[in-house]
Amino acid sequence: MQKTVCITGATSGFGRACAERFAAEGWRLVVTGRRADRLKELRDHCSATPIHTVELDVRDLDAVKAMVRDLPEGFGDIDVLVNNAGLALGLEGAHEANLDDWETMIDTNIKGLCFLTRCLLPGMVARNRGHIINMGSIAGTYPYPGGNVYGATKAFVKQFSRNLLTDLIHTKIRVTNIEPGLSESEFSIVRFHGDKSKADAVYKGTQPLRPVDIADIVHWVTTVPPHVNICTVEVMPVCQSCGPLAIHREP
Ligand code: NDP
Ligand code: 8X3
């Protein structure tokens, strides 16, 4: 039977690559994002695939509820939710960071992810079938200067993923937290509020992960036998590793 995947943030980067990967594997797609033109382009690109596109801001609970309520015939039974929509904003220290940026990250990366999960889970529980795949980050485990609230939102995603598994132990539903490191997408352009040269500098002299690398992993975790749950995948490019603990010395 053809399976259905719902991917948030499918207009760019990981989400877009996941949409293409699942389409190539013969899945039905429910794809969301705020940019209508990108959704249209994705729909045209995947014209051979059953695809339902929804212009959705994941921070809007009423819109999330409406999306789930109004899923068209054939798209209602979501087998896999890829909670991918998210962003980092700014890299300033906590004492000078922009509070609006903090709020946006919390609303998107935490609340949006919770809204989608809470609205789609009852159907999965009723069918005793499903898979929630959350897009965490190495920033949820390893601190770095300026990672303050972004990293904390991803630490939430890590613990929420674990707690979901405990709540769902009586079901066959799987939960996976994918934790990528340095990856080139629109992520840094968004983080630096559109400053492309600052974004390019992040990847200069590196070979970062590509969205297709992440899409391969997201698809792979759905292909293991049904009794197997890949709880966490931490993935970095070979050029990245964890830094040493920092020590500040007085001059
Ligand atoms: P991109 O900026 O390329 O893509 C982000 C996607 O999220 C876009 O499709 C965007 O769509 C969507 N999005 C952002 N805000 C909202 C919102 N309020 N409502 C709905 N959709 C939204 O970045 P990536 O592909 O790299 O990032 C995807 C996920 O991966 C994020 O959760 C990010 O934190 C995480 N991640 C990224 C890493 C990296 O280095 N790139 C590493 C580790 C994790 P639109 O603007 O159309 O709404
Ligand atoms: C994105 C990876 O290291 O820029 O989550 O925070 S990092």
Side-chain angles (χ1 to χ4, degrees):
M1 203 183 78
Q2 194 173 32
K3 290 191 177 167
T4 306
V5 59
C6 173
I7 304 166
T8 65
T11 52
S12 170
F14 298 169
R16 166 72 192 229
C18 286
E20 290 185 23
R21 180 61 199 264
F22 279 91
E25 300 290 340
W27 290 59
R28 281 171 195 269
L29 304 183
V30 175
V31 285
T32 79
R34 290 167 301 176
R35 285 170 286 181
D37 55 331
R38 297 278 188 102
L39 289 171
K40 184 182 175 311
E41 196 275 321
L42 179 58
R43 174 196 283 275
D44 293 345
H45 184 81
C46 298
S47 57
T49 305
I51 179 166
H52 175 57
T53 57
V54 188
E55 212 180 307
L56 176 75
D57 187 326
V58 295
R59 294 170 295 180
D60 182 344
L61 177 58
D62 289 338
V64 172
K65 285 180 178 168
M67 184 210 83
V68 174
R69 187 192 60 222
D70 299 338
L71 285 171
E73 182 77 29
F75 292 90
D77 293 351
I78 303 290
D79 296 287
V80 174
L81 165 63
V82 183
N83 261 325
N84 166 75
L87 76 174
L89 289 171
L91 202 54
E92 293 81 20
H95 58 296
E96 50 197 8
N98 182 310
L99 260 177
D100 290 338
D101 285 352
W102 278 11
E103 212 170 358
T104 303
M105 289 188 279
I106 291 166
D107 286 348
T108 310
N109 301 357
I110 296 182
K111 289 171 71 176
L113 182 137
C114 289
F115 294 163
L116 265 295
T117 304
R118 179 63 184 83
C119 291
L120 283 172
L121 253 187
M124 290 186 180
V125 172
R127 292 186 292 278
N128 197 20
R129 195 181 75 234
H131 196 159
I132 310 270
I133 302 176
N134 291 328
M135 200 51 73
S137 168
I138 59 163
T141 304
Y142 309 106
Y144 60 83
N148 40 64
V149 164
Y150 176 69
T153 65
K154 295 302 185 179
F156 175 94
V157 173
K158 181 199 286 286
Q159 194 63 14
F160 184 57
S161 304
R162 290 175 173 158
N163 282 338
L164 281 174
L165 272 176
T166 65
D167 285 0
L168 297 167
I169 192 160
H170 63 292
T171 76
K172 303 241 179 291
I173 298 168
R174 305 192 282 195
V175 181
T176 302
N177 185 30
I178 313 276
E179 303 180 345
L182 185 76
S183 316
E184 191 160 10
S185 62
E186 293 177 13
F187 177 83
S188 292
I189 298 174
V190 172
R191 170 168 248 170
F192 297 120
H193 298 279
D195 187 332
K196 176 92 169 54
S197 57
K198 260 190 179 175
D200 288 345
V202 172
Y203 308 106
K204 191 163 182 285
T206 75
Q207 186 173 0
L209 298 172
R210 304 161 303 167
V212 290
D213 299 322
I214 302 303
D216 280 349
I217 293 167
V218 170
H219 178 259
W220 168 69
V221 301
T222 70
T223 62
V224 296
H227 69 285
V228 178
N229 186 62
I230 309 288
C231 303
T232 308
V233 179
E234 182 182 282
V235 50
M236 298 183 199
V238 171
C239 65
Q240 188 171 36
S241 78
C242 325
L245 289 174
I247 297 170
H248 175 71
R249 298 179 198 280
E250 296 297 335

